Amino acid sequence: MKTKMWKIHNQALQEAAQCLQQGEVVAFPTETVYGLGADATNEEAVKKIFQAKGRPADNPLIVHVHHPIQIRQYVEEIPPLAQKLIDHFMPGPFTIILKSNGKAAHTVTAGLDTVAIRIPDHPVSQALLETAQLPLAAPSANLSGKPSPTNADHVYQDLNGRIAGIIDGGATGVGLESTVVDGTQDTPVILRPGGVTKEEIEQVTGQLEQNKSFTQVEKQPKSPGMKYNHYEPDAPLQLIDGSSTFFQQQINQYHKEGKKVGVIASSPLSEELQADDLYVCGSSDHLQEVAAKLYYALRYFNDKPVDIILCETFPTEGVGEAIMNRLTKAASSQLAE
Ligand code: TXA
Ligand code: MG
């Protein structure tokens, strides 16, 4: 299949919408990461998402709609606290899990009795949803196991020849996926940390139960996607938790073993390190900036001659929780001082 690359204009949206209506899959920008969309009510179309990504069939997809009013079309009920969360955070980097009424394709929910819904806050995704007049099932538009795409080139690298087209809407803003919240319970439960922070959610709900750390991988997670390998760069990634001196010692040790070392670090730490190649992912004072650059950083070394990538760790407050959740999953090891 030849994958089309659309630059954003009206004609492109019409063409992309037509592909979706014909049961094809199309990648499009959202404010978090690029999504790989298909008609969420068409089983055959949704199967193509799983095929293109190489995604395990037991990992359900998020249904994207363009207005809160449409949520009711796919769910049994919206409990009052879930409604409050919807009012506060949607549209935005926030996904709510509710009891499914069975209108979304079986393959979307992977046979669960719940469905995940999100309203992307991005002009291109909004325009596409309106033009296509379809609910779009859309996971991140990467090959399964790879870092999520934050620009159209990333999507092209992973999915060229496997999908009908990509709408190029430039770099995404948030850079990490939406926060997934189970809204079926009396108290909401965060299943995946993301663009909306726990602190922001607690301002609406009051204090949430202290969740187990998202940096630990659970055996039977409620959000099925959390158990698979994720976000892995081509070279092994090791997290380094310690001072700049400790970090530099690890780099030197790998050099002694004849290995080439790539480093991902934020400033000011990055200014104190010497490695074979270094990607500066913003400033540690602005974790939003680190989040926006994180997946870019994980892909940066793919065509570079490095044997190992070392990355600093970040405090797990605010968006730092989502950053550390993704880094811990991407890493094959971690060293603390
Ligand atoms: O920001 C995002 O959420 C992006 C953009 C494209 O919208 N999408 C995204 O989709 O990250 P994906 O498929 O990569 O991640 C969806 C997560 C997975 O961990 C999946 O297991 C979980 O949501 N999920 C989906 N439906 C669920 C359900 N019914 N119950 C529990 N978890 C669910
Ligand atoms: Mg994903």
Side-chain angles (χ1 to χ4, degrees), residues 7-329:
K7 289 284 172 194
I8 191 69
H9 52 77
N10 267 349
Q11 180 68 19
L13 278 176
Q14 295 291 347
E15 270 188 48
Q18 231 167 41
C19 280
L20 291 165
Q21 287 159 351
Q22 288 161 1
E24 293 302 329
V25 295
V26 166
F28 62 96
T30 82
E31 80 279 32
T32 58
V33 300
Y34 273 69
L36 185 60
D39 177 356
T41 59
N42 178 338
E43 295 283 358
E44 290 312 310
V46 175
K47 276 188 195 149
K48 289 182 189 171
I49 293 179
F50 285 87
Q51 276 160 8
K53 278 185 63 104
R55 182 177 175 109
D58 69 348
N59 191 2
L61 307 178
I62 298 170
V63 176
H64 296 67
V65 296
H66 83 266
H67 193 277
I69 206 103
Q70 295 172 311
I71 298 175
R72 291 201 178 269
Q73 293 175 20
Y74 305 96
V75 306
E76 287 268 307
E77 53 172 3
I78 305 180
L81 201 48
Q83 186 62 54
K84 237 173 136 180
L85 291 171
I86 291 169
D87 295 343
H88 268 86
F89 298 116
M90 295 169 85
F94 184 87
T95 294
I96 190 103
I97 310 276
L98 294 166
K99 282 258 176 280
S100 168
N101 66 3
K103 292 269 163 58
H106 197 71
T107 33
V108 170
T109 54
L112 297 176
D113 61 359
T114 53
V115 61
I117 314 244
R118 171 161 129 72
I119 306 174
D121 188 12
H122 188 287
V124 176
S125 15
Q126 281 280 334
L128 183 66
L129 285 161
E130 268 195 274
T131 311
Q133 288 286 305
L134 292 170
L136 294 180
S140 48
N142 50 282
L143 282 175
S144 220
K146 299 285 175 198
S148 303
T150 48
N151 64 37
D153 279 347
H154 295 165
V155 182
Y156 190 81
Q157 283 159 21
D158 276 18
L159 299 176
N160 178 30
R162 303 168 79 97
I163 60 176
I166 303 165
I167 305 178
D168 183 354
T172 61
V174 178
L176 296 177
E177 299 87 339
S178 62
T179 305
V180 178
V181 172
D182 183 352
T184 63
Q185 317 286 325
D186 291 339
T187 42
V189 180
I190 301 176
L191 301 181
R192 177 180 72 178
V196 172
T197 65
K198 176 171 184 256
E199 292 83 346
E200 287 167 328
I201 294 173
E202 283 183 334
Q203 280 179 11
V204 177
T205 59
Q207 201 177 354
L208 294 176
E209 255 175 66
Q210 191 49 46
N211 254 314
K212 47 207 164 320
S213 167
F214 285 112
T215 55
Q216 283 161 13
V217 180
E218 305 160 67
K219 283 226 175 72
Q220 276 295 342
K222 194 145 186 239
S223 197
M226 301 302 270
K227 69 174 180 275
Y228 294 106
N229 284 358
H230 265 323
Y231 322 115
E232 288 180 347
D234 290 354
L237 174 75
Q238 184 169 53
L239 304 185
I240 306 292
D241 181 5
S243 63
S244 59
T245 313
F246 179 72
F247 204 131
Q248 189 63 49
Q249 280 166 358
Q250 308 317 314
I251 300 173
N252 298 346
Q253 184 56 38
Y254 282 115
H255 280 163
K256 273 194 203 140
E257 296 167 18
K259 291 190 171 149
K260 290 230 180 295
V261 183
V263 163
I264 300 172
S266 62
S267 65
L269 173 66
S270 56
E271 288 138 36
E272 296 175 50
L273 300 176
Q274 292 200 324
D276 298 288
D277 200 346
L278 194 138
Y279 182 87
V280 184
C281 60
S283 143
S284 57
D285 289 337
H286 300 101
L287 287 184
Q288 305 284 0
E289 200 185 334
V290 175
K293 293 185 168 167
L294 190 71
Y295 287 139
Y296 192 94
L298 291 177
R299 284 177 181 261
Y300 170 80
F301 292 102
N302 281 356
D303 55 359
K304 305 279 188 307
V306 299
D307 301 300
I308 184 147
I309 305 165
L310 304 186
C311 178
E312 74 173 295
T313 58
F314 296 90
T316 54
E317 285 140 33
V319 76
E321 184 163 35
I323 292 173
M324 283 310 295
N325 169 261
R326 307 307 193 269
L327 276 176
T328 310
K329 283 169 183 295

